């Protein structure tokens, strides 16, 4: 079997997985092939150590049909039982109980966070995004909830961050960073909204550029650059992304930062 | 080794590695497969599940060797879970160890 055959088989076996999810899964394996062959492995060796694509696909499908907790339950159960066979029944019950308690505790924490939050509208907006987004990234969402809970200002920026995170799977770190800066700022920064949109729309896939945007946000929040200058930088950055050649893009980028 | 138990242990391994520092998928796979015999393909479904359940987030970082790599980072929930699972694992191992030693004692008698 070749790399392409492996990926094709995996893709076919994942037919019932939503397209975005499936694309991301295939991307993971393409990345694996890239990195493993950079490490000097042959295609045959890589496929051998990965295992059968159909049984890999099965694992994603089990995860999808709500059996996610099964593994955890068994693990907890085995641990609680300390390996003694006659305790297995009690252990299973204990394991399930432990998991339920843990889940309840987690839910309670989220609810308490929400209750202490003053801007109910913002929380409602974030929840709406969560409902709309099919492939929400819960880690990023949890981070966002935390930011929203403590934020006094720049509500619009945080709301926008929720909207953006609901749409993207990758590169959520810079968005979270900007949202966090916005949340902690003791004043409104008008152009943070634009900055967030630029970070993802134009800087997608490029963490280097996204991090430049985070720097800009930091400066804007700390009053090191004015709102007007921030606006200019955003404009230039948009121009850069529409540039026809890399040289032109780089020139525009340089000008953007000289203007600060 | 029991498949389900192995899955639970793998989860702990992934959380433990990421508790140390953020890694991209292949780094995680290499670290684990160097120490535990597994089909490497089983780690990616686990990573996706851990991400979907909020234990970690991902971000892209450019690499010198080509397209950007997907990095994994633990969330607070992930860090807490790692500590809890590690403690449970230690208790489990110690328990098994005690049982095995009792068996040896029986044989001597």
């Amino acid at each position: 079997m070749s790399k392409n055959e492996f990926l094709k088989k995996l893709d076919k076996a994942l037919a019932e997985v939503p397209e975005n999810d499936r694309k991301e899964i295939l991307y993971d394996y393409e990345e694996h092939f890239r990195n493993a062959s950079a490490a000097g492995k042959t295609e045959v060796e890589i496929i051998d150590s990965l295992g059968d694509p159909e049984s890999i696909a099965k694992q994603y499908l089990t995860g999808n049909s709500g059996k996610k907790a099964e593994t955890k339950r068994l693990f907890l159960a085995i641990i609680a039982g300390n390996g003694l066979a006659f305790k297995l029944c009690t252990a299973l019950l204990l394991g399930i109980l432990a998991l339920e308690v843990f889940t309840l505790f987690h839910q309670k924490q989220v609810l308490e966070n929400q209750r202490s939050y003053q801007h109910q509208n913002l929380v409602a907006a974030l929840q709406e995004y969560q409902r709309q987004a099919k492939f929400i990234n819960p880690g990023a969402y949890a981070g966002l909830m935390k930011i929203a809970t403590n934020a006094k200002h720049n509500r619009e920026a945080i709301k926008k961050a929720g909207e953006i995170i609901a749409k993207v799977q990758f590169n959520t770190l810079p968005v979270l960073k900007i949202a966090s800066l916005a949340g902690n700022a003791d004043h409104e920064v008008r152009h943070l909204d634009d900055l967030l949109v630029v970070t993802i729309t134009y800087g997608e896939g490029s963490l280097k550029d996204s991090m430049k945007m985070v720097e800009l946000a930091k400066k804007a929040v700390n009053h090191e650059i004015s709102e007007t200058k921030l606006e200019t930088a955003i404009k230039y950055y948009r121009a850069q992304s529409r540039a026809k050649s890399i040289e032109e893009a780089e020139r525009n980028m340089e000008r953007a930062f000289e203007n600060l | 080794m029991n498949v389900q138990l192995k899955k639970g242990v793998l989860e702990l391994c992934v959380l433990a590695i990421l508790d140390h520092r953020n890694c991209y998928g292949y780094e995680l796979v290499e670290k684990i497969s160097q120490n535990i015999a597994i089909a490497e393909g089983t780690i990616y479904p686990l990573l996706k599940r851990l991400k979907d359940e909020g234990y970690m987030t991902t971000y892209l970082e450019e690499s010198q060797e080509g397209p950007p790599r997907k990095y994994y980072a633990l969330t607070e929930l992930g860090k807490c879970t790692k500590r809890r699972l590690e403690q449970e694992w230690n208790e489990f191992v110690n328990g098994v160890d005690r049982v095995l030693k009792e068996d040896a004692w029986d044989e001597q008698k």
Side-chain angles (χ1 to χ4, degrees):
Chain A
M1 191 173 17
S2 70
K3 171 190 158 188
N4 285 341
E5 279 168 334
F6 178 94
L7 293 173
K8 214 183 251 174
K9 269 193 182 172
L10 185 61
D11 189 37
K12 211 177 140 198
L14 289 170
E16 55 183 273
V17 174
E19 201 192 339
N20 277 11
D21 262 9
R22 200 170 64 234
K23 270 188 191 158
E24 197 189 336
I25 292 169
L26 285 169
Y27 181 92
D28 285 344
Y29 289 92
E30 279 164 28
E31 193 182 300
H32 181 91
F33 273 102
R34 258 197 317 271
N35 287 319
S37 75
K41 288 189 184 165
T42 66
E43 239 173 59
V44 176
E45 284 170 335
I46 300 169
I47 290 166
D48 266 359
S49 14
L50 276 174
D52 172 45
E54 268 137 31
S55 56
I56 290 173
K58 225 175 263 171
Q59 293 183 55
Y60 287 106
L61 298 173
T62 329
N64 275 354
S65 61
K67 288 183 187 165
K68 286 175 190 171
E70 205 175 78
T71 311
K72 204 185 291 166
R73 282 183 188 173
L74 255 140
F75 182 46
L76 284 169
I78 290 166
I79 277 167
N82 263 356
L84 294 173
F86 68 90
K87 274 191 178 172
L88 197 67
C89 262
T90 335
L92 260 166
L93 282 172
L94 269 175
I96 292 165
L97 196 71
L99 186 80
E100 297 305 326
V101 169
F102 178 70
T103 317
L104 272 177
F105 176 71
H106 185 57
Q107 276 173 356
K108 195 169 157 266
Q109 264 188 330
V110 172
L111 278 175
E112 271 171 11
N113 275 347
Q114 284 175 6
R115 219 170 283 141
S116 70
Y117 183 61
Q118 295 159 349
H119 310 296
Q120 297 296 335
N121 291 342
L122 175 53
V123 170
L126 288 177
Q127 278 168 343
E128 186 53 36
Y129 292 130
Q130 189 191 27
R131 262 195 298 277
Q132 279 175 18
K134 282 183 194 141
F135 314 109
I136 189 100
N137 175 340
Y141 183 76
L144 208 59
M145 281 300 266
K146 213 167 136 194
I147 294 164
T149 313
N150 301 322
K152 289 195 188 80
H153 300 277
N154 293 311
R155 283 189 246 167
E156 285 305 312
I158 297 169
K159 212 164 109 183
K160 188 73 89 182
E163 193 178 18
I164 292 168
I165 284 177
K167 281 180 192 151
V168 295
Q169 279 289 311
F170 300 144
N171 223 359
T172 49
L173 194 73
V175 180
L176 274 181
K177 280 198 170 166
I178 295 179
S180 160
L181 279 167
N184 293 329
D186 57 1
H187 57 99
E188 293 276 352
V189 183
R190 272 186 306 130
H191 291 293
L192 282 183
D193 270 17
D194 295 334
L195 199 57
L196 277 165
V197 177
V198 164
T199 307
I200 286 300
T201 324
Y202 301 100
E204 193 166 22
S206 158
L207 199 79
K208 204 174 80 196
D209 285 351
S210 298
M211 283 310 166
K212 277 183 188 158
M213 295 294 124
V214 173
E215 277 307 304
L216 277 181
K218 212 182 273 174
K219 282 184 178 164
V221 168
N222 294 335
H223 287 302
E224 281 169 39
I225 55 168
S226 68
E227 286 273 303
T228 337
K229 280 191 173 170
L230 183 61
E231 201 185 336
T232 319
I234 293 167
K235 233 182 261 167
Y236 272 111
Y237 197 80
R238 283 194 171 127
Q240 180 249 337
S241 65
R242 281 193 296 265
K244 290 205 176 65
S245 69
I246 298 171
E247 290 77 23
E248 191 191 340
E250 276 176 354
R251 266 201 310 278
N252 281 335
M253 194 72 199
E254 286 311 310
R255 275 167 70 195
F257 288 99
E258 270 167 28
N259 263 285
L260 295 181
Chain B
M1 196 176 176
N2 177 298
V3 177
Q4 296 295 341
L5 177 61
K6 208 180 215 179
K7 276 188 183 168
V9 176
L10 274 185
E11 182 174 322
L12 173 58
C13 290
V14 167
L15 295 177
I17 294 169
L18 292 177
D19 196 33
H20 190 59
R21 70 178 174 88
N22 299 351
C23 290
Y24 55 92
Y26 188 68
E27 271 184 296
L28 277 166
V29 171
E30 270 210 312
K31 271 196 190 123
I32 293 172
S33 64
Q34 276 164 8
N35 296 296
I36 305 171
I38 43 141
E40 293 180 356
T42 56
I43 295 181
Y44 293 99
L46 173 67
L47 292 178
K48 185 176 185 310
R49 182 173 62 77
L50 289 175
K51 184 184 145 188
D52 287 347
E53 290 180 3
Y55 297 110
M56 51 206 211
T57 57
T58 56
Y59 60 94
L60 286 183
E61 194 166 303
E62 277 170 24
S63 73
Q64 288 170 339
E65 288 99 34
R69 286 173 175 147
K70 189 158 95 182
Y71 275 77
Y72 296 85
L74 287 192
T75 60
E76 275 309 309
L77 177 65
K79 285 179 189 165
C80 290
T81 308
K82 183 253 166 183
R83 283 194 292 274
R84 188 174 56 88
L85 287 181
E86 190 178 14
Q87 198 190 346
E88 285 171 0
W89 170 253
N90 287 332
E91 282 164 13
F92 174 64
V93 170
N94 290 338
V96 171
D97 218 33
R98 278 196 299 275
V99 173
L100 292 179
K101 276 177 187 149
E102 267 172 46
D103 282 354
W105 184 76
D106 280 345
E107 276 164 23
Q108 277 170 16
K109 220 168 43 167

